Amino acid sequence: MDLLLPSSGLLFWMSLTFFIVFFLLWRFAFGPITTMVSDRKAFIDESLRKAHEANERLANIQKEGESILQEAREKQAQMLKEAAETRDAIVEQAQEKARAEGARLMEEAKAAIEQEKKAAIADIRQQVATLSVEIAEKVIRQNLHDDKSQMDLIDRMLDGVAAS
């Protein structure tokens, strides 16, 4: 039974030692330990707050990045649309200029052909007039008695002109 029940002297010294250790711990250890735990708790709370702020900033940055990316896509689409419109306008201008140039060249060609036609007609008229005068002169010089002689002379003259 002595094992289960301590003696009163032992109980006194154990209690005295416990209270002395408790007083020393209370006086010198519990304050710094409590302060250290409070400081650690404050540091952890501050770290959690900063992590939460960092997560919020990251979310805001991601939103801003997405909005910037969307804005860049919209600007790209607008620029592509403007480029296509500019290209179409340039192509239309080039086609219109080509049409105008083609029409101008066609008019110049028609004018040149008309001028050459008039020159050819004038030349033919000149040749016909000269030929007629020559034929008339030769016919008058010769005293032709019948129509057959006159026709033979005209045929020979035309053959001479055709050969020249």
Side-chain angles (χ1 to χ4, degrees):
M1 243 238 219
D2 283 339
L3 288 177
L4 296 176
L5 291 177
S7 67
S8 58
L10 180 63
L11 190 58
F12 170 74
W13 288 113
M14 283 177 62
S15 296
L16 181 67
T17 307
F18 173 76
F19 285 118
I20 290 173
V21 170
F22 183 75
F23 175 74
L24 288 175
L25 286 175
W26 182 270
R27 175 88 175 150
F28 299 108
F30 286 152
I33 290 173
T34 305
T35 304
M36 189 171 59
V37 168
S38 296
D39 291 345
R40 181 70 178 159
K41 181 182 179 292
F43 177 75
I44 290 172
D45 289 343
E46 182 67 19
S47 296
L48 287 174
R49 187 185 62 75
K50 286 181 180 179
H52 182 69
E53 288 176 3
N55 282 338
E56 288 177 357
R57 285 185 199 154
L58 180 62
N60 288 338
I61 288 172
Q62 286 176 341
K63 287 179 184 176
E64 288 177 15
E66 289 174 5
S67 67
I68 289 171
L69 186 60
Q70 182 63 29
E71 185 178 325
R73 285 181 185 140
E74 290 172 0
K75 284 183 180 180
Q76 178 188 18
Q78 181 65 26
M79 290 173 70
L80 288 174
K81 181 180 175 185
E82 289 173 1
E85 289 173 356
T86 302
R87 180 199 68 219
D88 292 343
I90 289 171
V91 167
E92 184 63 32
Q93 286 176 349
Q95 288 176 343
E96 187 61 35
K97 189 174 180 180
R99 282 188 210 108
E101 183 67 18
R104 184 186 66 80
L105 290 175
M106 188 66 94
E107 289 300 318
E108 286 178 2
K110 285 181 182 178
I113 289 170
E114 189 63 31
Q115 192 175 21
E116 288 179 21
K117 180 180 169 185
K118 287 180 182 179
I121 290 173
D123 188 41
I124 290 173
R125 284 184 181 167
Q126 179 67 30
Q127 288 179 5
V128 167
T130 304
L131 185 59
S132 297
V133 169
E134 287 177 8
I135 291 173
E137 187 180 306
K138 288 184 180 180
V139 167
I140 293 174
R141 282 188 193 161
Q142 290 186 353
N143 199 0
L144 300 175
H145 302 298
D146 60 8
D147 288 337
K148 186 175 190 275
S149 304
Q150 291 176 0
M151 289 307 286
D152 287 340
L153 180 63
I154 290 173
D155 287 338
R156 278 183 289 158
M157 291 275 204
L158 287 176
D159 288 341
V161 170
S164 331

